[in-house]
Amino acid sequence: MMHPNKKRLRRSMMFLNCQKPGLIKDPYIYGTDSIILDLEDAVAENQKDSARYSLYHALKEINYRGVERVVRMNGLDTPHWKEDIRVCVAGGADTIRIAKTESAQDVHVVEEHVLAAEREFGRPEGSTLLMAALESCRGVMNALEVCNSSDRLIGIALSGGDYTRDLQTVISGTGVELQGARQQMVIAARAAKVQCWDTVFTDLDNMEAFEKEVRMIKMMGFDGKSLVNPRQIEIVHEVFTPTKKEIIFADKIVREIDEKKAQGIGVFMVDGKMIDIAFYEGAVRTLKLAKAAGIYEEDL
Amino acid sequence: MVVQKSAVAGTLESSDAQVTVEPGSGTLELIVESNVIHQFGRQIRKTVLDVLERLEVTDAKVVVVDKGALDCTLKARVECAVYRSNDITETLPWGGAIK
């Protein structure tokens, strides 16, 4: 049976440094869909142990009010990942983000240790979800096998900084260097029916370029974006939440198709547009998204 | 647990606490510095002493410089300092002595 939160709304996933108590004590006030409590790059090498204690108590004692608690663990090429997994599971993290994922085998290794930790700490088996960050050319090329690697896997996220380094280029601001990876990853995710998130945008003074990028990745098919600052949340939510006009149109399509199907009619007009069954899935997705965002309450 | 050597955890940033542990001289000595000592001093001491009791630390000097840390942060810093004093970073008792 599918985990009830596997497909939840994840438009915004905001990174927070686990080592900074001031950051992790109340991030739910910003209204992000998910927080990513970071044990990896944001935490200095000699503070990895310290961050785990902070993480454990934050997970156990802070009420994040329904915001998904994702933890980014250190990569499998470090000495930290096994204890990261133990503390994530013991603390009751909702999801673990696997850094530097390159293959299905990487996910299997993490999955095996997560299962062992669930048994050790008495959590229900299968309750900890996984997501994979693809940060290398090899990882991006293996996107489909990663997407298909585990029932626990909710999706894949692009990590643009490491990826462009591996590609021997830099983040230019135009997006041209990320074009191939974005396309490959979102197609793989859709083929495997998991979610897909875009990389962070770090130029906080250029909100115009940020919005342009968010609109582009929405059009490409992404489910949302990794974020580094609360100021970015509102724009992402605005772009990824259906408009009132889109919701009304989708509602009409679903009702009309259901009704016309019963009458044996395949093609018909809605608001001057020719509609057939091919529109059904998209309209249902729009309504589900609107419902998850709390702006649509019908039962279609 | 025996405090084997001096160890520090945490910072002096706002919402944090810096905890230093040193081998004791036969007793448990706790010193707390805080801007809110009059309001929360007793609570801070209780939280720290509860953690030390769970970790079975009975002979140490513990100095806490509080900068408005929540209970969960205080606990994390004390535990980290004590385990660091023993060079233990793996296979920790999450949910056991650490809770």
Side-chain angles (χ1 to χ4, degrees):
Chain A
M1 196 178 73
M2 189 169 77
H3 192 295
N5 284 332
K6 190 168 175 182
K7 301 274 186 188
R8 67 178 276 172
L9 184 69
R10 296 182 179 93
R11 300 162 297 182
S12 53
M13 306 186 91
M14 186 169 72
F15 279 108
L16 300 161
N17 182 348
C18 256
Q19 176 59 10
K20 302 273 186 191
L23 293 180
I24 63 175
K25 65 180 179 167
D26 53 8
Y28 49 81
I29 60 174
Y30 301 117
T32 183
D33 293 328
S34 309
I35 52 169
I36 305 176
L37 298 155
D38 193 11
L39 293 175
E40 199 212 12
D41 286 353
V43 178
E45 188 64 23
N46 65 357
Q47 298 299 324
K48 297 289 189 189
D49 59 336
S50 180
R52 286 191 205 106
Y53 298 95
S54 296
L55 171 72
Y56 179 77
H57 289 291
L59 289 172
K60 281 291 189 188
E61 292 165 46
I62 296 174
N63 177 0
Y64 286 101
R65 304 182 191 185
V67 173
E68 181 182 36
R69 301 154 317 153
V70 180
V71 181
R72 176 162 74 164
M73 58 176 273
N74 287 282
L76 300 177
D77 57 344
T78 72
H80 310 298
W81 65 273
K82 287 182 185 169
E83 197 62 19
D84 286 352
I85 290 175
R86 289 184 74 246
V87 72
C88 285
V89 174
D94 300 308
T95 302
I96 296 174
R97 175 169 162 142
I98 312 168
K100 298 185 172 66
T101 311
E102 296 217 313
S103 64
Q105 179 58 22
D106 287 350
V107 179
H108 294 154
V109 169
V110 171
E111 189 174 35
E112 188 186 316
H113 282 78
V114 167
L115 180 61
E118 285 172 346
R119 288 172 179 157
E120 179 184 356
F121 296 110
R123 278 193 69 184
E125 291 182 15
S127 60
T128 314
L129 295 170
L130 301 176
M131 62 180 283
L134 308 187
E135 314 190 22
S136 66
C137 297
R138 186 163 174 261
V140 169
M141 291 307 292
N142 289 337
L144 186 58
E145 72 162 55
V146 170
C147 288
N148 283 320
S149 61
S150 166
D151 284 343
R152 294 177 189 258
L153 196 97
I154 60 170
I156 53 174
L158 175 61
S159 182
D162 286 306
Y163 168 72
T164 47
R165 198 159 40 247
D166 195 33
L167 198 62
Q168 298 182 12
T169 180
V170 291
I171 301 277
S172 67
T174 65
V176 67
E177 66 284 349
L178 297 174
Q179 210 170 332
R182 281 175 167 150
Q183 204 78 71
Q184 162 103 351
M185 284 175 61
V186 78
I187 294 169
R190 291 291 166 254
K193 300 199 184 321
V194 297
Q195 296 177 324
C196 193
W197 301 276
D198 190 42
T199 188
V200 295
F201 185 92
T202 55
D203 184 359
L204 297 177
D205 292 330
N206 196 346
M207 295 306 275
E208 202 177 313
F210 175 69
E211 181 168 348
K212 197 174 159 200
E213 182 168 287
V214 175
R215 291 195 183 282
M216 180 190 72
I217 58 131
K218 162 76 165 52
M219 192 51 70
M220 290 181 81
F222 280 86
D223 291 278
K225 194 164 175 66
S226 304
L227 306 179
V228 290
N229 190 286
R231 284 164 56 205
Q232 298 177 322
I233 296 169
E234 192 180 343
I235 290 174
V236 171
H237 285 194
E238 189 195 315
V239 172
F240 275 90
T241 305
T243 62
K244 198 172 174 187
K245 196 174 158 192
E246 287 170 334
I247 295 166
I248 291 169
F249 189 58
D251 182 282
K252 272 186 191 171
I253 288 175
V254 172
R255 287 180 196 279
E256 289 281 328
I257 290 179
D258 284 344
E259 196 184 309
K260 295 287 192 298
K261 201 160 56 180
Q263 296 168 11
I265 301 169
V267 182
F268 52 92
M269 302 294 281
V270 174
D271 293 350
K273 291 194 176 77
M274 201 171 80
I275 299 297
D276 62 20
I277 191 69
F279 285 81
Y280 194 79
E281 197 182 319
V284 168
R285 193 167 54 247
T286 297
L287 296 180
K288 276 187 180 170
L289 196 56
K291 201 165 191 172
I295 54 172
Y296 179 79
E297 290 175 352
E298 298 294 318
D299 284 326
L300 288 178
Chain B
M1 194 179 299
V2 175
V3 171
Q4 302 282 2
K5 61 178 182 182
S6 180
V8 183
T11 70
L12 298 176
E13 291 174 19
S14 176
S15 302
D16 204 347
Q18 189 171 67
V19 175
T20 308
V21 297
E22 292 172 25
S25 46
T27 57
L28 186 59
E29 183 187 358
L30 172 60
I31 299 164
V32 176
E33 286 176 32
S34 173
N35 290 335
V36 290
I37 194 89
H38 297 299
Q39 277 172 288
F40 298 109
R42 193 174 298 174
Q43 177 60 39
I44 293 169
R45 287 187 70 84
K46 183 180 183 314
T47 300
V48 173
L49 289 171
D50 284 350
V51 173
L52 293 170
E53 189 181 338
R54 268 200 296 280
L55 298 178
E56 297 177 357
V57 175
T58 55
D59 182 9
K61 181 181 177 186
V62 180
V63 178
V64 177
V65 183
D66 169 62
K67 294 291 176 184
L70 294 178
D71 261 16
C72 58
T73 303
L74 275 173
K75 289 185 202 173
R77 298 316 190 202
V78 175
E79 288 159 353
C80 182
V82 171
Y83 280 99
R84 278 181 174 176
S85 81
N86 284 270
D87 287 326
I88 297 172
T89 55
E90 287 175 1
T91 327
L92 289 157
W94 307 112
I98 299 172
K99 68 175 184 181

